[in-house]
Amino acid sequence: MIEEKIRELISEKVNNLGIIIDNIEYVKEGNNYFLRITIDREKPINIDECVEVTNIINPLLDETDIIKESYILDISTKEKGEK
């Protein structure tokens, strides 16, 4: 599954920031593909940290070319109260 390959590729580098990969979802909605990665940790994650994670993930995905289609990368955090 593509999500598992992506998790293997990015987890170590993201974990080095003290952030975990909570969920990865690759879906097609209409004409667009979305790669949605949800991140989490004990203390809240701010927007700058989301950008930092994006800046780590983007080059890894580009270098390995795991996803052949054009897609939109969406990095988000868990909502309060989500499990």
Side-chain angles (χ1 to χ4, degrees), residues 29-75:
E29 294 178 2
N31 292 326
N32 296 313
Y33 287 92
F34 291 87
L35 176 58
R36 294 193 174 105
I37 300 175
T38 307
I39 56 177
D40 196 21
R41 72 169 175 208
E42 288 296 315
K43 64 181 186 173
I45 298 172
N46 65 38
I47 190 70
D48 291 333
E49 292 163 321
C50 280
V51 169
E52 187 175 1
V53 169
T54 301
N55 291 337
I56 288 171
I57 292 172
N58 257 333
L60 292 171
L61 292 172
D62 289 346
E63 287 169 16
T64 58
D65 205 25
I66 288 177
I67 301 173
K68 302 300 181 198
E69 304 86 10
S70 293
Y71 62 92
I72 298 166
L73 177 61
D74 179 18
I75 306 290

Tab-separated table of all heavy atoms in Angstrom, residues 29-75:
chain	number	residue	atom	x	y	z
A	29	GLU	N	-10.228	12.832	-5.089
A	29	GLU	CA	-11.488	13.534	-4.902
A	29	GLU	C	-11.720	14.375	-6.145
A	29	GLU	O	-10.945	15.297	-6.414
A	29	GLU	CB	-11.448	14.403	-3.654
A	29	GLU	CG	-11.330	13.588	-2.379
A	29	GLU	CD	-11.239	14.434	-1.130
A	29	GLU	OE1	-11.306	15.678	-1.227
A	29	GLU	OE2	-11.083	13.848	-0.048
A	30	GLY	N	-12.731	14.039	-6.892
A	30	GLY	CA	-12.959	14.719	-8.162
A	30	GLY	C	-11.807	14.419	-9.096
A	30	GLY	O	-11.451	13.265	-9.311
A	31	ASN	N	-11.189	15.461	-9.629
A	31	ASN	CA	-10.049	15.286	-10.534
A	31	ASN	C	-8.705	15.361	-9.821
A	31	ASN	O	-7.667	15.261	-10.463
A	31	ASN	CB	-10.087	16.352	-11.638
A	31	ASN	CG	-11.254	16.146	-12.577
A	31	ASN	OD1	-11.649	15.015	-12.843
A	31	ASN	ND2	-11.820	17.234	-13.066
A	32	ASN	N	-8.720	15.588	-8.508
A	32	ASN	CA	-7.479	15.804	-7.762
A	32	ASN	C	-7.156	14.636	-6.839
A	32	ASN	O	-8.041	14.033	-6.240
A	32	ASN	CB	-7.576	17.079	-6.921
A	32	ASN	CG	-7.730	18.313	-7.762
A	32	ASN	OD1	-7.003	18.507	-8.732
A	32	ASN	ND2	-8.687	19.156	-7.409
A	33	TYR	N	-5.851	14.361	-6.715
A	33	TYR	CA	-5.347	13.425	-5.722
A	33	TYR	C	-4.838	14.224	-4.527
A	33	TYR	O	-4.229	15.285	-4.694
A	33	TYR	CB	-4.191	12.595	-6.288
A	33	TYR	CG	-4.614	11.550	-7.273
A	33	TYR	CD1	-4.653	11.826	-8.638
A	33	TYR	CD2	-4.977	10.272	-6.842
A	33	TYR	CE1	-5.042	10.858	-9.551
A	33	TYR	CE2	-5.365	9.299	-7.753
A	33	TYR	CZ	-5.397	9.599	-9.098
A	33	TYR	OH	-5.784	8.644	-9.996
A	34	PHE	N	-5.097	13.711	-3.332
A	34	PHE	CA	-4.635	14.342	-2.104
A	34	PHE	C	-3.826	13.347	-1.290
A	34	PHE	O	-4.248	12.203	-1.107
A	34	PHE	CB	-5.823	14.807	-1.247
A	34	PHE	CG	-6.589	15.949	-1.841
A	34	PHE	CD1	-7.619	15.724	-2.738
A	34	PHE	CD2	-6.277	17.255	-1.501
A	34	PHE	CE1	-8.334	16.767	-3.299
A	34	PHE	CE2	-6.983	18.309	-2.056
A	34	PHE	CZ	-8.016	18.071	-2.954
A	35	LEU	N	-2.685	13.802	-0.796
A	35	LEU	CA	-1.913	13.051	0.176
A	35	LEU	C	-2.060	13.804	1.487
A	35	LEU	O	-1.518	14.894	1.653
A	35	LEU	CB	-0.436	12.956	-0.232
A	35	LEU	CG	0.471	12.265	0.778
A	35	LEU	CD1	0.000	10.840	1.072
A	35	LEU	CD2	1.909	12.282	0.306
A	36	ARG	N	-2.858	13.229	2.375
A	36	ARG	CA	-3.133	13.877	3.667
A	36	ARG	C	-2.355	13.157	4.755
A	36	ARG	O	-2.532	11.951	4.961
A	36	ARG	CB	-4.623	13.838	3.966
A	36	ARG	CG	-5.425	14.667	2.995
A	36	ARG	CD	-6.855	14.885	3.475
A	36	ARG	NE	-7.512	15.789	2.570
A	36	ARG	CZ	-8.417	15.417	1.663
A	36	ARG	NH1	-8.761	14.154	1.570
A	36	ARG	NH2	-8.969	16.308	0.873
A	37	ILE	N	-1.518	13.919	5.420
A	37	ILE	CA	-0.699	13.370	6.498
A	37	ILE	C	-1.063	14.114	7.780
A	37	ILE	O	-0.964	15.343	7.844
A	37	ILE	CB	0.805	13.516	6.184
A	37	ILE	CG1	1.120	12.764	4.885
A	37	ILE	CG2	1.644	13.003	7.356
A	37	ILE	CD1	2.543	12.921	4.399
A	38	THR	N	-1.509	13.354	8.773
A	38	THR	CA	-1.866	13.934	10.065
A	38	THR	C	-0.723	13.660	11.029
A	38	THR	O	-0.263	12.525	11.152
A	38	THR	CB	-3.172	13.306	10.602
A	38	THR	OG1	-4.179	13.414	9.594
A	38	THR	CG2	-3.641	14.029	11.850
A	39	ILE	N	-0.265	14.732	11.696
A	39	ILE	CA	0.849	14.622	12.641
A	39	ILE	C	0.357	14.915	14.049
A	39	ILE	O	-0.674	15.563	14.232
A	39	ILE	CB	2.021	15.552	12.244
A	39	ILE	CG1	1.561	17.005	12.129
A	39	ILE	CG2	2.638	15.083	10.925
A	39	ILE	CD1	2.661	18.006	11.820
A	40	ASP	N	1.112	14.473	15.044
A	40	ASP	CA	0.676	14.644	16.427
A	40	ASP	C	1.883	14.589	17.363
A	40	ASP	O	2.953	14.098	16.991
A	40	ASP	CB	-0.327	13.551	16.796
A	40	ASP	CG	-1.109	13.865	18.069
A	40	ASP	OD1	-1.185	15.052	18.457
A	40	ASP	OD2	-1.654	12.927	18.670
A	41	ARG	N	1.684	15.091	18.555
A	41	ARG	CA	2.621	14.937	19.683
A	41	ARG	C	1.910	15.405	20.939
A	41	ARG	O	0.789	15.891	20.882
A	41	ARG	CB	3.920	15.694	19.447
A	41	ARG	CG	3.791	17.186	19.541
A	41	ARG	CD	5.136	17.859	19.571
A	41	ARG	NE	4.901	19.290	19.542
A	41	ARG	CZ	5.729	20.161	19.062
A	41	ARG	NH1	6.868	19.766	18.554
A	41	ARG	NH2	5.449	21.437	19.085
A	42	GLU	N	2.570	15.264	22.071
A	42	GLU	CA	1.951	15.606	23.355
A	42	GLU	C	1.562	17.081	23.436
A	42	GLU	O	0.459	17.406	23.819
A	42	GLU	CB	2.882	15.255	24.524
A	42	GLU	CG	3.015	13.772	24.765
A	42	GLU	CD	1.707	13.127	25.178
A	42	GLU	OE1	0.995	13.687	26.033
A	42	GLU	OE2	1.388	12.054	24.641
A	43	LYS	N	2.495	17.978	23.096
A	43	LYS	CA	2.164	19.406	23.152
A	43	LYS	C	1.665	19.872	21.783
A	43	LYS	O	1.961	19.236	20.770
A	43	LYS	CB	3.356	20.235	23.640
A	43	LYS	CG	4.557	20.232	22.755
A	43	LYS	CD	5.663	21.080	23.378
A	43	LYS	CE	6.825	21.188	22.404
A	43	LYS	NZ	7.852	22.090	22.840
A	44	PRO	N	0.904	20.962	21.750
A	44	PRO	CA	0.343	21.435	20.477
A	44	PRO	C	1.421	21.718	19.431
A	44	PRO	O	2.534	22.127	19.753
A	44	PRO	CB	-0.382	22.720	20.864
A	44	PRO	CG	-0.665	22.586	22.324
A	44	PRO	CD	0.468	21.785	22.888
A	45	ILE	N	1.056	21.513	18.181
A	45	ILE	CA	1.939	21.782	17.047
A	45	ILE	C	1.479	23.076	16.400
A	45	ILE	O	0.297	23.222	16.080
A	45	ILE	CB	1.882	20.621	16.026
A	45	ILE	CG1	2.381	19.333	16.680
A	45	ILE	CG2	2.682	20.955	14.773
A	45	ILE	CD1	2.188	18.090	15.846
A	46	ASN	N	2.407	24.010	16.215
A	46	ASN	CA	2.019	25.283	15.608
A	46	ASN	C	2.233	25.250	14.100
A	46	ASN	O	2.778	24.301	13.551
A	46	ASN	CB	2.747	26.460	16.270
A	46	ASN	CG	4.242	26.434	16.061
A	46	ASN	OD1	4.728	26.078	14.986
A	46	ASN	ND2	4.985	26.815	17.092
A	47	ILE	N	1.808	26.313	13.428
A	47	ILE	CA	1.874	26.364	11.965
A	47	ILE	C	3.314	26.290	11.454
A	47	ILE	O	3.580	25.668	10.428
A	47	ILE	CB	1.135	27.608	11.420
A	47	ILE	CG1	0.992	27.545	9.893
A	47	ILE	CG2	1.843	28.891	11.818
A	47	ILE	CD1	0.035	26.515	9.419
A	48	ASP	N	4.246	26.907	12.174
A	48	ASP	CA	5.651	26.860	11.748
A	48	ASP	C	6.185	25.429	11.765
A	48	ASP	O	6.970	25.040	10.902
A	48	ASP	CB	6.519	27.751	12.645
A	48	ASP	CG	6.225	29.230	12.450
A	48	ASP	OD1	5.770	29.604	11.341
A	48	ASP	OD2	6.439	30.009	13.394
A	49	GLU	N	5.744	24.650	12.735
A	49	GLU	CA	6.173	23.254	12.807
A	49	GLU	C	5.527	22.424	11.691
A	49	GLU	O	6.169	21.523	11.144
A	49	GLU	CB	5.864	22.683	14.190
A	49	GLU	CG	6.738	23.321	15.261
A	49	GLU	CD	6.219	23.119	16.665
A	49	GLU	OE1	4.999	23.183	16.884
A	49	GLU	OE2	7.060	22.901	17.550
A	50	CYS	N	4.296	22.753	11.323
A	50	CYS	CA	3.663	22.084	10.171
A	50	CYS	C	4.455	22.385	8.896
A	50	CYS	O	4.678	21.496	8.075
A	50	CYS	CB	2.219	22.539	9.997
A	50	CYS	SG	1.050	21.746	11.107
A	51	VAL	N	4.889	23.626	8.755
A	51	VAL	CA	5.687	24.016	7.589
A	51	VAL	C	7.020	23.268	7.605
A	51	VAL	O	7.482	22.779	6.570
A	51	VAL	CB	5.907	25.546	7.556
A	51	VAL	CG1	6.941	25.932	6.511
A	51	VAL	CG2	4.589	26.263	7.306
A	52	GLU	N	7.634	23.151	8.784
A	52	GLU	CA	8.902	22.427	8.901
A	52	GLU	C	8.734	20.962	8.486
A	52	GLU	O	9.569	20.411	7.756
A	52	GLU	CB	9.418	22.521	10.337
A	52	GLU	CG	10.794	21.952	10.534
A	52	GLU	CD	11.332	22.156	11.943
A	52	GLU	OE1	10.625	22.725	12.800
A	52	GLU	OE2	12.470	21.726	12.179
A	53	VAL	N	7.651	20.338	8.919
A	53	VAL	CA	7.383	18.951	8.540
A	53	VAL	C	7.169	18.858	7.025
A	53	VAL	O	7.703	17.958	6.370
A	53	VAL	CB	6.165	18.393	9.321
A	53	VAL	CG1	5.712	17.058	8.748
A	53	VAL	CG2	6.496	18.257	10.800
A	54	THR	N	6.438	19.800	6.458
A	54	THR	CA	6.216	19.833	5.010
A	54	THR	C	7.544	19.943	4.276
A	54	THR	O	7.772	19.244	3.275
A	54	THR	CB	5.298	21.010	4.625
A	54	THR	OG1	4.048	20.865	5.309
A	54	THR	CG2	5.062	21.063	3.129
A	55	ASN	N	8.436	20.797	4.779
A	55	ASN	CA	9.741	20.992	4.147
A	55	ASN	C	10.643	19.770	4.258
A	55	ASN	O	11.573	19.606	3.465
A	55	ASN	CB	10.442	22.225	4.722
A	55	ASN	CG	9.757	23.511	4.311
A	55	ASN	OD1	9.047	23.563	3.303
A	55	ASN	ND2	9.948	24.556	5.095
A	56	ILE	N	10.375	18.909	5.202
A	56	ILE	CA	11.105	17.642	5.322
A	56	ILE	C	10.509	16.604	4.366
A	56	ILE	O	11.222	15.897	3.664
A	56	ILE	CB	11.060	17.118	6.777
A	56	ILE	CG1	11.962	17.979	7.663
A	56	ILE	CG2	11.466	15.646	6.849
A	56	ILE	CD1	11.820	17.687	9.138
A	57	ILE	N	9.183	16.530	4.340
A	57	ILE	CA	8.489	15.497	3.571
A	57	ILE	C	8.577	15.726	2.061
A	57	ILE	O	8.818	14.789	1.301
A	57	ILE	CB	7.018	15.397	4.031
A	57	ILE	CG1	6.958	14.844	5.457
A	57	ILE	CG2	6.198	14.539	3.072
A	57	ILE	CD1	5.582	14.874	6.075
A	58	ASN	N	8.377	16.954	1.624
A	58	ASN	CA	8.356	17.250	0.183
A	58	ASN	C	9.566	16.724	-0.573
A	58	ASN	O	9.401	16.013	-1.564
A	58	ASN	CB	8.187	18.752	-0.054
A	58	ASN	CG	6.785	19.112	-0.463
A	58	ASN	OD1	6.061	18.319	-1.047
A	58	ASN	ND2	6.398	20.322	-0.156
A	59	PRO	N	10.794	17.045	-0.148
A	59	PRO	CA	11.951	16.553	-0.905
A	59	PRO	C	12.068	15.028	-0.889
A	59	PRO	O	12.487	14.428	-1.882
A	59	PRO	CB	13.159	17.191	-0.208
A	59	PRO	CG	12.641	18.196	0.728
A	59	PRO	CD	11.179	17.946	0.911
A	60	LEU	N	11.688	14.396	0.217
A	60	LEU	CA	11.746	12.936	0.292
A	60	LEU	C	10.807	12.308	-0.733
A	60	LEU	O	11.160	11.352	-1.420
A	60	LEU	CB	11.386	12.452	1.697
A	60	LEU	CG	12.378	12.793	2.810
A	60	LEU	CD1	11.790	12.438	4.168
A	60	LEU	CD2	13.703	12.099	2.589
A	61	LEU	N	9.608	12.853	-0.826
A	61	LEU	CA	8.640	12.332	-1.796
A	61	LEU	C	9.100	12.596	-3.223
A	61	LEU	O	8.958	11.743	-4.093
A	61	LEU	CB	7.264	12.958	-1.559
A	61	LEU	CG	6.571	12.560	-0.254
A	61	LEU	CD1	5.324	13.404	-0.045
A	61	LEU	CD2	6.237	11.082	-0.234
A	62	ASP	N	9.665	13.788	-3.458
A	62	ASP	CA	10.145	14.135	-4.801
A	62	ASP	C	11.304	13.243	-5.230
A	62	ASP	O	11.357	12.788	-6.370
A	62	ASP	CB	10.571	15.605	-4.868
A	62	ASP	CG	9.388	16.560	-4.807
A	62	ASP	OD1	8.237	16.110	-4.983
A	62	ASP	OD2	9.611	17.767	-4.577
A	63	GLU	N	12.235	12.988	-4.313
A	63	GLU	CA	13.424	12.184	-4.636
A	63	GLU	C	13.064	10.744	-4.977
A	63	GLU	O	13.639	10.151	-5.880
A	63	GLU	CB	14.398	12.177	-3.452
A	63	GLU	CG	15.124	13.488	-3.246
A	63	GLU	CD	15.874	13.531	-1.920
A	63	GLU	OE1	16.091	12.459	-1.299
A	63	GLU	OE2	16.223	14.650	-1.501
A	64	THR	N	12.121	10.184	-4.228
A	64	THR	CA	11.786	8.773	-4.419
A	64	THR	C	10.733	8.554	-5.487
A	64	THR	O	10.614	7.456	-6.004
A	64	THR	CB	11.299	8.144	-3.104
A	64	THR	OG1	10.171	8.894	-2.647
A	64	THR	CG2	12.386	8.141	-2.053
A	65	ASP	N	9.954	9.587	-5.787
A	65	ASP	CA	8.927	9.515	-6.835
A	65	ASP	C	7.964	8.344	-6.601
A	65	ASP	O	7.570	7.636	-7.528
A	65	ASP	CB	9.602	9.410	-8.209
A	65	ASP	CG	8.709	9.929	-9.322
A	65	ASP	OD1	7.828	10.761	-9.038
A	65	ASP	OD2	8.888	9.485	-10.465
A	66	ILE	N	7.573	8.157	-5.336
A	66	ILE	CA	6.643	7.083	-4.972
A	66	ILE	C	5.292	7.287	-5.645
A	66	ILE	O	4.664	6.337	-6.104
A	66	ILE	CB	6.456	7.010	-3.431
A	66	ILE	CG1	7.715	6.452	-2.779
A	66	ILE	CG2	5.253	6.170	-3.059
A	66	ILE	CD1	7.657	6.421	-1.283
A	67	ILE	N	4.836	8.526	-5.682
A	67	ILE	CA	3.535	8.841	-6.264
A	67	ILE	C	3.751	9.381	-7.671
A	67	ILE	O	4.434	10.383	-7.860
A	67	ILE	CB	2.776	9.870	-5.402
A	67	ILE	CG1	2.578	9.331	-3.983
A	67	ILE	CG2	1.435	10.214	-6.045
A	67	ILE	CD1	1.982	10.326	-3.021
A	68	LYS	N	3.175	8.707	-8.641
A	68	LYS	CA	3.378	9.086	-10.039
A	68	LYS	C	2.460	10.229	-10.475
A	68	LYS	O	2.832	11.054	-11.296
A	68	LYS	CB	3.152	7.873	-10.960
A	68	LYS	CG	4.058	6.689	-10.637
A	68	LYS	CD	5.517	7.043	-10.754
A	68	LYS	CE	6.400	5.838	-10.444
A	68	LYS	NZ	7.752	6.199	-10.131
A	69	GLU	N	1.249	10.283	-9.940
A	69	GLU	CA	0.292	11.318	-10.313
A	69	GLU	C	0.635	12.641	-9.631
A	69	GLU	O	1.320	12.670	-8.612
A	69	GLU	CB	-1.138	10.925	-9.888
A	69	GLU	CG	-1.648	9.608	-10.410
A	69	GLU	CD	-1.253	8.411	-9.553
A	69	GLU	OE1	-0.742	8.594	-8.435
A	69	GLU	OE2	-1.432	7.293	-10.025
A	70	SER	N	0.113	13.730	-10.179
A	70	SER	CA	0.182	15.009	-9.475
A	70	SER	C	-0.762	14.919	-8.283
A	70	SER	O	-1.829	14.316	-8.374
A	70	SER	CB	-0.276	16.149	-10.387
A	70	SER	OG	0.635	16.327	-11.428
A	71	TYR	N	-0.359	15.503	-7.158
A	71	TYR	CA	-1.181	15.443	-5.959
A	71	TYR	C	-0.995	16.701	-5.133
A	71	TYR	O	-0.046	17.459	-5.317
A	71	TYR	CB	-0.837	14.202	-5.117
A	71	TYR	CG	0.589	14.195	-4.619
A	71	TYR	CD1	0.912	14.723	-3.377
A	71	TYR	CD2	1.612	13.683	-5.408
A	71	TYR	CE1	2.231	14.737	-2.935
A	71	TYR	CE2	2.920	13.687	-4.968
A	71	TYR	CZ	3.228	14.221	-3.733
A	71	TYR	OH	4.520	14.238	-3.305
A	72	ILE	N	-1.910	16.901	-4.213
A	72	ILE	CA	-1.846	18.015	-3.271
A	72	ILE	C	-1.437	17.436	-1.925
A	72	ILE	O	-2.103	16.527	-1.405
A	72	ILE	CB	-3.203	18.730	-3.181
A	72	ILE	CG1	-3.556	19.311	-4.554
A	72	ILE	CG2	-3.191	19.797	-2.090
A	72	ILE	CD1	-4.995	19.751	-4.692
A	73	LEU	N	-0.351	17.950	-1.355
A	73	LEU	CA	0.117	17.515	-0.038
A	73	LEU	C	-0.562	18.357	1.026
A	73	LEU	O	-0.514	19.584	0.982
A	73	LEU	CB	1.640	17.653	0.060
A	73	LEU	CG	2.266	17.295	1.407
A	73	LEU	CD1	1.997	15.844	1.775
A	73	LEU	CD2	3.758	17.580	1.382
A	74	ASP	N	-1.207	17.696	1.969
A	74	ASP	CA	-1.929	18.369	3.040
A	74	ASP	C	-1.422	17.829	4.373
A	74	ASP	O	-1.652	16.667	4.703
A	74	ASP	CB	-3.430	18.107	2.879
A	74	ASP	CG	-4.273	18.741	3.968
A	74	ASP	OD1	-3.786	19.645	4.659
A	74	ASP	OD2	-5.442	18.314	4.120
A	75	ILE	N	-0.696	18.680	5.098
A	75	ILE	CA	-0.195	18.307	6.426
A	75	ILE	C	-1.103	18.982	7.459
A	75	ILE	O	-1.318	20.179	7.401
A	75	ILE	CB	1.259	18.800	6.644
A	75	ILE	CG1	2.182	18.321	5.539
A	75	ILE	CG2	1.763	18.398	8.029
A	75	ILE	CD1	2.465	16.859	5.539
